[in-house]
């Protein structure tokens, strides 16, 4: 089975800190995604990447950046954390370039609290 | 832009009731459509999918039909069980591999 691993289950940070959220997948997937999940808003796409060093903005990229230096790892960076970035962050991956039958595999999420 | 709209929740049903959760979408091209489910305390997992118009996805007694003319992908189940209590997300995958989710619909099934 595909495994998508997020480095932390819970994180507490202070306003203004630089925050790194790490995600690693073990199935050579081309596509990787970062979402945030908030009550009543569902999952909102922050960034996605379809190849190493390639990235595309999602619907809410403001305040975030990403890095994909290796195929298996996709990092989400909060340059200067703010309280409105308190959320559950979900990483996902998919095969990519495989036609229309792919599905997303999700990590277990990182609950980030910014104080 | 591309978007997914779902019916507002929460939805509360008695066991063995019929379930419909409405989902409509806006997208260019020919997206693939998905339903994901998140059980309490668990991560999201794929429930079913459909990749072209008139396709019907089905799994665990749930069904959804890709209706291009109405841009809809409504989720249905004939007889819900307590174990179906979860949050259900409709999603689409665009031709550029971008995957967008709806806001989710919380379902509670009571005995």
């Amino acid at each position: 089975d595909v495994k998508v691993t997020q480095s932390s289950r819970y994180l507490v940070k202070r306003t203004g800190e630089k925050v790194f959220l790490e995600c690693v997948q073990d199935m050579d997937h081309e596509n990787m995604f970062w979402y945030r999940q908030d009550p009543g808003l569902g999952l909102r796409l922050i960034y996605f990447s379809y190849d190493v060093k390639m990235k595309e903005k999602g619907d809410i990229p403001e305040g975030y950046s990403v890095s994909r230096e290796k195929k298996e790892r996709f990092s989400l960076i909060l340059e200067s954390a703010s309280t409105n970035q308190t959320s559950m962050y979900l990483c996902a991956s998919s095969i990519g370039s495989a036609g229309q039958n792919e599905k997303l595999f999700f990590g277990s999420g990182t609950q980030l609290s910014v104080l | 832009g591309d978007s997914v709209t779902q019916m507002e929740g929460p939805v509360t049903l008695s066991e063995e009731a019929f379930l419909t959760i409405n989902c409509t979408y806006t997208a260019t091209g020919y997206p693939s459509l998905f339903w994901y489910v998140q059980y309490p305390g668990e991560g999201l997992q794929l429930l079913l999918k459909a990749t072209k118009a008139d396709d019907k996805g089905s799994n665990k007694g749930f069904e959804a039909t890709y209706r291009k003319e109405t841009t809809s992908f409504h989720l249905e189940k004939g007889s819900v069980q307590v174990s179906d209590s979860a949050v259900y997300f409709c999603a689409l995958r665009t031709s550029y591999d971008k995957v967008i989710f709806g806001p989710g619909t919380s379902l509670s099934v009571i005995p």
Side-chain angles (χ1 to χ4, degrees):
Chain A
D1 266 356
V2 174
K3 193 167 184 182
V4 179
T5 303
Q6 294 184 230
S7 53
S8 304
R9 185 71 181 93
Y10 298 96
L11 269 182
V12 180
K13 297 292 181 182
R14 297 242 177 241
T15 302
E17 278 193 76
K18 189 169 186 176
V19 181
F20 293 86
L21 302 183
E22 306 288 346
C23 176
V24 177
Q25 49 93 4
D26 65 357
M27 281 300 290
D28 203 36
H29 282 178
E30 293 184 8
N31 296 340
M32 296 189 75
F33 305 79
W34 275 107
Y35 295 88
R36 61 178 283 176
Q37 183 177 11
D38 300 288
L41 298 175
L43 276 72
R44 292 180 291 166
L45 181 63
I46 305 171
Y47 270 96
F48 70 106
S49 167
Y50 52 89
D51 201 352
V52 175
K53 297 190 187 292
M54 306 302 289
K55 61 185 179 185
E56 291 286 339
K57 291 181 180 179
D59 297 321
I60 52 163
E62 298 78 18
Y64 303 93
S65 62
V66 290
S67 171
R68 194 163 180 205
E69 297 295 320
K70 294 185 178 181
K71 194 173 187 179
E72 67 270 18
R73 186 181 296 270
F74 192 36
S75 303
L76 180 69
I77 303 154
L78 288 66
E79 295 289 341
S80 178
S82 63
T83 55
N84 62 12
Q85 292 179 309
T86 291
S87 185
M88 171 68 79
Y89 290 87
L90 296 174
C91 176
S93 71
S94 66
I95 293 174
S97 304
Q100 300 280 338
N101 289 323
E102 62 187 62
K103 70 176 185 180
L104 291 182
F105 295 85
F106 281 89
S108 54
T110 296
Q111 178 63 52
L112 173 67
S113 297
V114 182
L115 306 178
Chain B
D2 303 318
S3 66
V4 177
T5 303
Q6 286 180 240
M7 64 184 287
E8 295 280 333
V11 174
T12 302
L13 294 174
S14 297
E15 208 165 20
E16 298 184 2
F18 184 85
L19 168 71
T20 300
I21 300 178
N22 291 337
C23 171
T24 57
Y25 68 90
T26 302
T28 55
Y30 303 96
S32 295
L33 301 174
F34 306 85
W35 278 100
Y36 282 81
V37 59
Q38 187 174 34
Y39 297 103
E42 298 185 15
L44 274 86
Q45 54 187 279
L46 180 67
L47 179 60
L48 54 83
K49 64 180 185 288
T51 58
K52 60 183 187 296
D54 299 325
D55 266 3
K56 177 185 283 188
S58 61
N59 186 27
K60 299 182 180 182
F62 291 89
E63 292 183 340
T65 301
Y66 189 142
R67 301 286 188 202
K68 190 167 176 61
E69 63 276 12
T70 55
T71 62
S72 65
F73 192 54
H74 304 322
L75 183 68
E76 296 182 337
K77 187 175 185 183
S79 175
V80 294
Q81 305 300 312
V82 171
S83 57
D84 294 325
S85 298
V87 182
Y88 293 82
F89 294 92
C90 186
L92 69 81
R93 174 188 171 276
T94 73
S95 53
Y96 301 102
D97 278 358
K98 184 177 177 181
V99 181
I100 298 168
F101 286 79
T105 301
S106 176
L107 170 67
S108 294
V109 181
I110 54 177

